Amino acid sequence: MNFKMVGSILFVVSLSLIFGGSSIDFFNTFKEDREETRKINQEVNKNYTEVTNEMKELHQSMLEMQNLFTLYYENVGENKEYYQNQLTSIKKQKDRLEKVMKDVNESCQMTVNDRSKEKCKSMIENNQKAQDNYARLEENYEQFMKGHEEWLSKNKTIAMK
């Protein structure tokens, strides 16, 4: 009887230790998960702010570039270098945005918060639109410059000797 009593007590104590240890481990894991989730959400919020600012700068630069297309061909020559530099600057902004978006995609894949998921969705959609707009801008620029070159070749004047 003594062995049964000691065995029962040891069994109850061991079950208590197992459940207690599991509970402590569960709460520690829960705390770690919550902390990781908080870090991911902070990363998404930081990226959202950074992407939004990059998008604003890119949009403004692209708007400034639109002034080129209002010029007459005879005025392009004096502004060509400026607009070529603008296009180069816009490409650098676009490339910088692409690098940020790589971090965004990594953060977004790990997020579980609905608000963060919406921010991620917004950033990804806006980035796609910005990339499409840049591609159209570059295509329009090349066509415009090609038209300018054709205009130049047709309208060359020969100096009198």
Side-chain angles (χ1 to χ4, degrees), residues 48-94:
Y48 185 78
T49 303
E50 187 174 350
V51 166
T52 301
N53 291 336
E54 290 283 338
M55 290 280 186
K56 286 178 184 176
E57 287 179 28
L58 185 62
H59 178 72
Q60 184 61 38
S61 296
M62 287 180 162
L63 283 178
E64 291 171 9
M65 190 70 181
Q66 293 300 319
N67 292 333
L68 168 69
F69 304 114
T70 63
L71 295 176
Y72 293 109
Y73 282 144
E74 59 257 15
N75 298 337
V76 170
E78 55 203 50
N79 297 302
K80 191 173 184 177
E81 185 177 341
Y82 170 77
Y83 284 107
Q84 182 61 45
N85 290 338
Q86 282 289 104
L87 191 64
T88 302
S89 174
I90 291 170
K91 181 163 177 30
K92 287 178 184 176
Q93 289 174 327
K94 180 190 78 78

Short mmCIF file of all heavy atoms in Angstrom, two decimals, residues 48-94:
data_model
loop_
_atom_site.label_atom_id
_atom_site.label_comp_id
_atom_site.label_asym_id
_atom_site.label_seq_id
_atom_site.Cartn_x
_atom_site.Cartn_y
_atom_site.Cartn_z
N TYR A 48 5.75 50.87 -45.30
CA TYR A 48 4.62 51.58 -45.89
C TYR A 48 4.91 53.07 -45.98
O TYR A 48 4.69 53.70 -47.01
CB TYR A 48 3.36 51.33 -45.05
CG TYR A 48 2.11 51.93 -45.64
CD1 TYR A 48 1.46 51.32 -46.69
CD2 TYR A 48 1.59 53.11 -45.14
CE1 TYR A 48 0.32 51.86 -47.24
CE2 TYR A 48 0.44 53.68 -45.67
CZ TYR A 48 -0.19 53.04 -46.72
OH TYR A 48 -1.33 53.59 -47.26
N THR A 49 5.47 53.62 -44.91
CA THR A 49 5.83 55.04 -44.89
C THR A 49 6.92 55.31 -45.92
O THR A 49 6.83 56.28 -46.69
CB THR A 49 6.32 55.44 -43.48
OG1 THR A 49 5.29 55.16 -42.54
CG2 THR A 49 6.67 56.92 -43.43
N GLU A 50 7.93 54.46 -45.97
CA GLU A 50 9.04 54.65 -46.90
C GLU A 50 8.56 54.53 -48.35
O GLU A 50 8.91 55.36 -49.20
CB GLU A 50 10.13 53.62 -46.62
CG GLU A 50 11.39 53.83 -47.41
CD GLU A 50 12.50 52.87 -47.01
OE1 GLU A 50 12.37 52.16 -45.99
OE2 GLU A 50 13.50 52.82 -47.74
N VAL A 51 7.74 53.52 -48.64
CA VAL A 51 7.24 53.33 -49.99
C VAL A 51 6.34 54.49 -50.40
O VAL A 51 6.40 54.98 -51.53
CB VAL A 51 6.49 51.97 -50.12
CG1 VAL A 51 5.68 51.89 -51.39
CG2 VAL A 51 7.48 50.82 -50.05
N THR A 52 5.51 54.95 -49.48
CA THR A 52 4.62 56.07 -49.77
C THR A 52 5.43 57.32 -50.14
O THR A 52 5.12 58.01 -51.12
CB THR A 52 3.70 56.36 -48.58
OG1 THR A 52 2.92 55.19 -48.30
CG2 THR A 52 2.77 57.52 -48.86
N ASN A 53 6.49 57.59 -49.38
CA ASN A 53 7.34 58.74 -49.68
C ASN A 53 8.06 58.58 -51.02
O ASN A 53 8.15 59.52 -51.81
CB ASN A 53 8.34 58.97 -48.55
CG ASN A 53 7.68 59.46 -47.29
OD1 ASN A 53 6.60 60.04 -47.32
ND2 ASN A 53 8.32 59.21 -46.16
N GLU A 54 8.56 57.36 -51.28
CA GLU A 54 9.23 57.09 -52.56
C GLU A 54 8.25 57.27 -53.72
O GLU A 54 8.60 57.82 -54.76
CB GLU A 54 9.80 55.66 -52.58
CG GLU A 54 10.97 55.44 -51.67
CD GLU A 54 12.27 55.99 -52.20
OE1 GLU A 54 12.41 56.19 -53.42
OE2 GLU A 54 13.17 56.23 -51.37
N MET A 55 7.02 56.79 -53.52
CA MET A 55 6.00 56.91 -54.57
C MET A 55 5.67 58.38 -54.85
O MET A 55 5.50 58.77 -56.00
CB MET A 55 4.71 56.18 -54.18
CG MET A 55 4.81 54.71 -54.16
SD MET A 55 4.68 54.06 -55.82
CE MET A 55 4.65 52.33 -55.44
N LYS A 56 5.59 59.18 -53.80
CA LYS A 56 5.30 60.61 -53.98
C LYS A 56 6.41 61.28 -54.78
O LYS A 56 6.14 62.06 -55.70
CB LYS A 56 5.15 61.30 -52.63
CG LYS A 56 3.84 60.99 -51.93
CD LYS A 56 3.77 61.67 -50.57
CE LYS A 56 2.52 61.29 -49.81
NZ LYS A 56 2.49 61.86 -48.46
N GLU A 57 7.66 60.98 -54.44
CA GLU A 57 8.79 61.56 -55.16
C GLU A 57 8.79 61.11 -56.62
O GLU A 57 9.02 61.92 -57.53
CB GLU A 57 10.11 61.14 -54.51
CG GLU A 57 10.40 61.82 -53.19
CD GLU A 57 11.72 61.35 -52.59
OE1 GLU A 57 12.63 60.95 -53.35
OE2 GLU A 57 11.82 61.37 -51.36
N LEU A 58 8.55 59.82 -56.83
CA LEU A 58 8.53 59.28 -58.19
C LEU A 58 7.41 59.91 -59.01
O LEU A 58 7.61 60.31 -60.15
CB LEU A 58 8.38 57.76 -58.14
CG LEU A 58 8.44 57.01 -59.47
CD1 LEU A 58 9.80 57.22 -60.13
CD2 LEU A 58 8.18 55.53 -59.25
N HIS A 59 6.25 60.05 -58.40
CA HIS A 59 5.11 60.66 -59.09
C HIS A 59 5.43 62.10 -59.47
O HIS A 59 5.16 62.52 -60.61
CB HIS A 59 3.87 60.60 -58.19
CG HIS A 59 2.66 61.25 -58.77
ND1 HIS A 59 1.97 60.71 -59.81
CD2 HIS A 59 2.04 62.41 -58.47
CE1 HIS A 59 0.96 61.50 -60.13
NE2 HIS A 59 0.98 62.54 -59.33
N GLN A 60 6.00 62.85 -58.55
CA GLN A 60 6.34 64.25 -58.82
C GLN A 60 7.36 64.34 -59.95
O GLN A 60 7.23 65.18 -60.85
CB GLN A 60 6.87 64.94 -57.55
CG GLN A 60 7.15 66.40 -57.72
CD GLN A 60 5.91 67.19 -58.10
OE1 GLN A 60 4.82 66.93 -57.63
NE2 GLN A 60 6.08 68.15 -58.98
N SER A 61 8.35 63.49 -59.93
CA SER A 61 9.37 63.49 -60.98
C SER A 61 8.76 63.15 -62.34
O SER A 61 9.11 63.75 -63.35
CB SER A 61 10.48 62.49 -60.65
OG SER A 61 11.15 62.87 -59.48
N MET A 62 7.86 62.19 -62.35
CA MET A 62 7.21 61.82 -63.60
C MET A 62 6.33 62.95 -64.12
O MET A 62 6.26 63.18 -65.33
CB MET A 62 6.40 60.54 -63.43
CG MET A 62 7.23 59.30 -63.31
SD MET A 62 6.17 57.86 -63.12
CE MET A 62 7.29 56.56 -63.54
N LEU A 63 5.68 63.66 -63.22
CA LEU A 63 4.87 64.81 -63.65
C LEU A 63 5.74 65.89 -64.28
O LEU A 63 5.36 66.49 -65.29
CB LEU A 63 4.09 65.39 -62.46
CG LEU A 63 2.86 64.63 -62.01
CD1 LEU A 63 2.24 65.30 -60.79
CD2 LEU A 63 1.84 64.50 -63.13
N GLU A 64 6.90 66.13 -63.68
CA GLU A 64 7.81 67.13 -64.23
C GLU A 64 8.31 66.71 -65.61
O GLU A 64 8.52 67.55 -66.49
CB GLU A 64 9.00 67.34 -63.29
CG GLU A 64 8.62 68.03 -61.99
CD GLU A 64 9.75 68.05 -60.97
OE1 GLU A 64 10.90 67.68 -61.33
OE2 GLU A 64 9.48 68.42 -59.83
N MET A 65 8.45 65.41 -65.80
CA MET A 65 8.92 64.89 -67.08
C MET A 65 7.88 65.11 -68.17
O MET A 65 8.23 65.24 -69.34
CB MET A 65 9.23 63.40 -66.92
CG MET A 65 9.93 62.79 -68.06
SD MET A 65 11.62 63.40 -68.15
CE MET A 65 12.14 62.53 -69.61
N GLN A 66 6.63 65.19 -67.81
CA GLN A 66 5.56 65.38 -68.79
C GLN A 66 5.69 66.70 -69.54
O GLN A 66 5.19 66.84 -70.65
CB GLN A 66 4.19 65.29 -68.12
CG GLN A 66 3.85 63.92 -67.58
CD GLN A 66 3.83 62.86 -68.67
OE1 GLN A 66 3.35 63.07 -69.76
NE2 GLN A 66 4.37 61.69 -68.35
N ASN A 67 6.36 67.67 -68.93
CA ASN A 67 6.55 68.97 -69.60
C ASN A 67 7.32 68.83 -70.91
O ASN A 67 7.16 69.64 -71.82
CB ASN A 67 7.27 69.96 -68.68
CG ASN A 67 6.40 70.37 -67.51
OD1 ASN A 67 5.18 70.35 -67.59
ND2 ASN A 67 7.03 70.73 -66.41
N LEU A 68 8.16 67.80 -71.00
CA LEU A 68 8.91 67.57 -72.24
C LEU A 68 7.96 67.40 -73.42
O LEU A 68 8.20 67.92 -74.50
CB LEU A 68 9.79 66.33 -72.10
CG LEU A 68 10.41 65.80 -73.40
CD1 LEU A 68 11.47 66.77 -73.91
CD2 LEU A 68 11.00 64.43 -73.19
N PHE A 69 6.89 66.69 -73.19
CA PHE A 69 6.00 66.34 -74.29
C PHE A 69 5.15 67.51 -74.76
O PHE A 69 4.43 67.40 -75.75
CB PHE A 69 5.13 65.14 -73.90
CG PHE A 69 5.95 63.96 -73.47
CD1 PHE A 69 5.90 63.51 -72.16
CD2 PHE A 69 6.80 63.31 -74.35
CE1 PHE A 69 6.67 62.43 -71.74
CE2 PHE A 69 7.58 62.24 -73.96
CZ PHE A 69 7.52 61.80 -72.66
N THR A 70 5.24 68.64 -74.06
CA THR A 70 4.51 69.83 -74.49
C THR A 70 5.39 70.75 -75.34
O THR A 70 4.91 71.74 -75.87
CB THR A 70 3.98 70.63 -73.28
OG1 THR A 70 5.09 71.09 -72.50
CG2 THR A 70 3.06 69.79 -72.42
N LEU A 71 6.67 70.42 -75.44
CA LEU A 71 7.61 71.25 -76.20
C LEU A 71 7.44 71.01 -77.71
O LEU A 71 7.08 69.92 -78.14
CB LEU A 71 9.05 70.92 -75.82
CG LEU A 71 9.49 71.23 -74.40
CD1 LEU A 71 10.92 70.75 -74.18
CD2 LEU A 71 9.40 72.72 -74.10
N TYR A 72 7.73 72.04 -78.45
CA TYR A 72 7.85 71.88 -79.90
C TYR A 72 9.21 71.26 -80.19
O TYR A 72 10.16 71.45 -79.44
CB TYR A 72 7.73 73.23 -80.61
CG TYR A 72 6.35 73.84 -80.50
CD1 TYR A 72 6.14 74.96 -79.70
CD2 TYR A 72 5.28 73.29 -81.18
CE1 TYR A 72 4.87 75.52 -79.60
CE2 TYR A 72 4.01 73.84 -81.08
CZ TYR A 72 3.81 74.95 -80.29
OH TYR A 72 2.57 75.48 -80.17
N TYR A 73 9.29 70.55 -81.31
CA TYR A 73 10.55 69.87 -81.63
C TYR A 73 11.73 70.84 -81.69
O TYR A 73 12.83 70.48 -81.28
CB TYR A 73 10.44 69.11 -82.95
CG TYR A 73 9.70 67.79 -82.84
CD1 TYR A 73 8.90 67.35 -83.88
CD2 TYR A 73 9.83 66.97 -81.73
CE1 TYR A 73 8.23 66.14 -83.80
CE2 TYR A 73 9.17 65.77 -81.63
CZ TYR A 73 8.37 65.35 -82.67
OH TYR A 73 7.71 64.15 -82.60
N GLU A 74 11.50 72.06 -82.16
CA GLU A 74 12.63 72.99 -82.26
C GLU A 74 13.15 73.42 -80.89
O GLU A 74 14.27 73.89 -80.77
CB GLU A 74 12.32 74.20 -83.12
CG GLU A 74 11.15 75.03 -82.65
CD GLU A 74 9.89 74.79 -83.47
OE1 GLU A 74 9.84 73.81 -84.20
OE2 GLU A 74 8.97 75.59 -83.34
N ASN A 75 12.34 73.25 -79.83
CA ASN A 75 12.78 73.63 -78.48
C ASN A 75 13.39 72.47 -77.70
O ASN A 75 13.92 72.66 -76.62
CB ASN A 75 11.60 74.19 -77.69
CG ASN A 75 11.05 75.44 -78.31
OD1 ASN A 75 11.74 76.12 -79.04
ND2 ASN A 75 9.79 75.72 -78.03
N VAL A 76 13.32 71.28 -78.26
CA VAL A 76 13.81 70.11 -77.54
C VAL A 76 15.32 70.15 -77.39
O VAL A 76 15.86 69.80 -76.33
CB VAL A 76 13.36 68.80 -78.24
CG1 VAL A 76 14.06 67.59 -77.65
CG2 VAL A 76 11.86 68.65 -78.13
N GLY A 77 16.01 70.59 -78.43
CA GLY A 77 17.48 70.59 -78.40
C GLY A 77 18.07 71.30 -77.21
O GLY A 77 19.01 70.81 -76.58
N GLU A 78 17.49 72.43 -76.84
CA GLU A 78 18.04 73.20 -75.72
C GLU A 78 17.68 72.60 -74.36
O GLU A 78 18.31 72.92 -73.35
CB GLU A 78 17.57 74.65 -75.79
CG GLU A 78 16.07 74.81 -75.84
CD GLU A 78 15.63 76.13 -76.45
OE1 GLU A 78 16.13 76.47 -77.54
OE2 GLU A 78 14.80 76.79 -75.82
N ASN A 79 16.70 71.70 -74.32
CA ASN A 79 16.27 71.09 -73.06
C ASN A 79 16.57 69.59 -72.99
O ASN A 79 16.24 68.94 -72.00
CB ASN A 79 14.76 71.29 -72.86
CG ASN A 79 14.38 72.73 -72.74
OD1 ASN A 79 14.87 73.43 -71.86
ND2 ASN A 79 13.52 73.20 -73.63
N LYS A 80 17.16 69.06 -74.03
CA LYS A 80 17.35 67.61 -74.14
C LYS A 80 18.17 67.03 -72.98
O LYS A 80 17.80 66.02 -72.39
CB LYS A 80 18.01 67.28 -75.47
CG LYS A 80 18.02 65.82 -75.82
CD LYS A 80 18.55 65.64 -77.23
CE LYS A 80 18.46 64.19 -77.64
NZ LYS A 80 18.90 63.99 -79.02
N GLU A 81 19.25 67.68 -72.66
CA GLU A 81 20.12 67.18 -71.58
C GLU A 81 19.37 67.18 -70.24
O GLU A 81 19.48 66.23 -69.46
CB GLU A 81 21.39 68.02 -71.48
CG GLU A 81 22.37 67.49 -70.45
CD GLU A 81 23.65 68.30 -70.41
OE1 GLU A 81 23.96 69.04 -71.37
OE2 GLU A 81 24.34 68.20 -69.38
N TYR A 82 18.62 68.24 -69.98
CA TYR A 82 17.86 68.34 -68.74
C TYR A 82 16.89 67.16 -68.62
O TYR A 82 16.82 66.50 -67.58
CB TYR A 82 17.10 69.66 -68.68
CG TYR A 82 16.09 69.73 -67.55
CD1 TYR A 82 16.51 69.96 -66.24
CD2 TYR A 82 14.74 69.54 -67.79
CE1 TYR A 82 15.60 70.01 -65.21
CE2 TYR A 82 13.81 69.58 -66.76
CZ TYR A 82 14.24 69.82 -65.47
OH TYR A 82 13.33 69.85 -64.45
N TYR A 83 16.15 66.90 -69.68
CA TYR A 83 15.16 65.82 -69.63
C TYR A 83 15.80 64.44 -69.61
O TYR A 83 15.28 63.51 -69.01
CB TYR A 83 14.14 65.96 -70.76
CG TYR A 83 13.16 67.06 -70.46
CD1 TYR A 83 13.21 68.27 -71.14
CD2 TYR A 83 12.21 66.92 -69.46
CE1 TYR A 83 12.33 69.30 -70.84
CE2 TYR A 83 11.33 67.94 -69.15
CZ TYR A 83 11.39 69.13 -69.84
OH TYR A 83 10.52 70.13 -69.53
N GLN A 84 16.96 64.30 -70.24
CA GLN A 84 17.68 63.03 -70.16
C GLN A 84 18.13 62.79 -68.71
O GLN A 84 18.01 61.68 -68.20
CB GLN A 84 18.89 63.03 -71.10
CG GLN A 84 19.66 61.72 -71.10
CD GLN A 84 18.83 60.54 -71.55
OE1 GLN A 84 18.11 60.61 -72.54
NE2 GLN A 84 18.90 59.44 -70.82
N ASN A 85 18.59 63.84 -68.05
CA ASN A 85 18.97 63.72 -66.64
C ASN A 85 17.77 63.41 -65.76
O ASN A 85 17.85 62.64 -64.81
CB ASN A 85 19.66 65.00 -66.15
CG ASN A 85 21.04 65.17 -66.76
OD1 ASN A 85 21.66 64.21 -67.21
ND2 ASN A 85 21.51 66.40 -66.81
N GLN A 86 16.62 64.02 -66.09
CA GLN A 86 15.38 63.74 -65.37
C GLN A 86 15.01 62.27 -65.49
O GLN A 86 14.65 61.63 -64.51
CB GLN A 86 14.23 64.59 -65.91
CG GLN A 86 14.23 66.02 -65.44
CD GLN A 86 13.87 66.11 -63.97
OE1 GLN A 86 14.74 66.32 -63.13
NE2 GLN A 86 12.62 65.95 -63.66
N LEU A 87 15.08 61.75 -66.71
CA LEU A 87 14.74 60.35 -66.93
C LEU A 87 15.69 59.42 -66.17
O LEU A 87 15.26 58.43 -65.57
CB LEU A 87 14.75 60.02 -68.42
CG LEU A 87 14.16 58.66 -68.80
CD1 LEU A 87 12.67 58.61 -68.47
CD2 LEU A 87 14.38 58.37 -70.27
N THR A 88 16.97 59.75 -66.15
CA THR A 88 17.95 58.97 -65.40
C THR A 88 17.63 59.01 -63.91
O THR A 88 17.69 57.99 -63.22
CB THR A 88 19.37 59.51 -65.67
OG1 THR A 88 19.63 59.46 -67.07
CG2 THR A 88 20.42 58.70 -64.92
N SER A 89 17.29 60.18 -63.41
CA SER A 89 16.92 60.34 -62.01
C SER A 89 15.68 59.51 -61.67
O SER A 89 15.61 58.86 -60.62
CB SER A 89 16.69 61.81 -61.69
OG SER A 89 16.21 61.97 -60.38
N ILE A 90 14.70 59.55 -62.56
CA ILE A 90 13.47 58.77 -62.34
C ILE A 90 13.79 57.29 -62.31
O ILE A 90 13.26 56.53 -61.50
CB ILE A 90 12.42 59.11 -63.42
CG1 ILE A 90 11.91 60.54 -63.22
CG2 ILE A 90 11.27 58.12 -63.40
CD1 ILE A 90 11.06 61.06 -64.36
N LYS A 91 14.68 56.83 -63.20
CA LYS A 91 15.06 55.42 -63.21
C LYS A 91 15.73 55.03 -61.89
O LYS A 91 15.45 53.96 -61.35
CB LYS A 91 15.99 55.12 -64.38
CG LYS A 91 16.39 53.64 -64.44
CD LYS A 91 16.96 53.28 -65.76
CE LYS A 91 17.44 51.86 -65.86
NZ LYS A 91 16.80 50.86 -65.10
N LYS A 92 16.57 55.91 -61.35
CA LYS A 92 17.21 55.63 -60.07
C LYS A 92 16.17 55.54 -58.95
O LYS A 92 16.25 54.67 -58.08
CB LYS A 92 18.25 56.70 -59.73
CG LYS A 92 19.49 56.61 -60.57
CD LYS A 92 20.47 57.73 -60.24
CE LYS A 92 21.67 57.70 -61.16
NZ LYS A 92 22.58 58.83 -60.92
N GLN A 93 15.18 56.44 -58.99
CA GLN A 93 14.10 56.39 -57.99
C GLN A 93 13.33 55.08 -58.11
O GLN A 93 13.00 54.45 -57.11
CB GLN A 93 13.15 57.57 -58.17
CG GLN A 93 13.71 58.89 -57.78
CD GLN A 93 12.77 60.03 -58.11
OE1 GLN A 93 12.03 59.99 -59.09
NE2 GLN A 93 12.80 61.07 -57.29
N LYS A 94 13.05 54.67 -59.33
CA LYS A 94 12.31 53.43 -59.58
C LYS A 94 13.12 52.23 -59.07
O LYS A 94 12.57 51.34 -58.43
CB LYS A 94 12.02 53.28 -61.07
CG LYS A 94 11.25 52.01 -61.43
CD LYS A 94 11.19 51.80 -62.92
CE LYS A 94 12.43 51.25 -63.50
NZ LYS A 94 12.72 49.86 -63.36
#
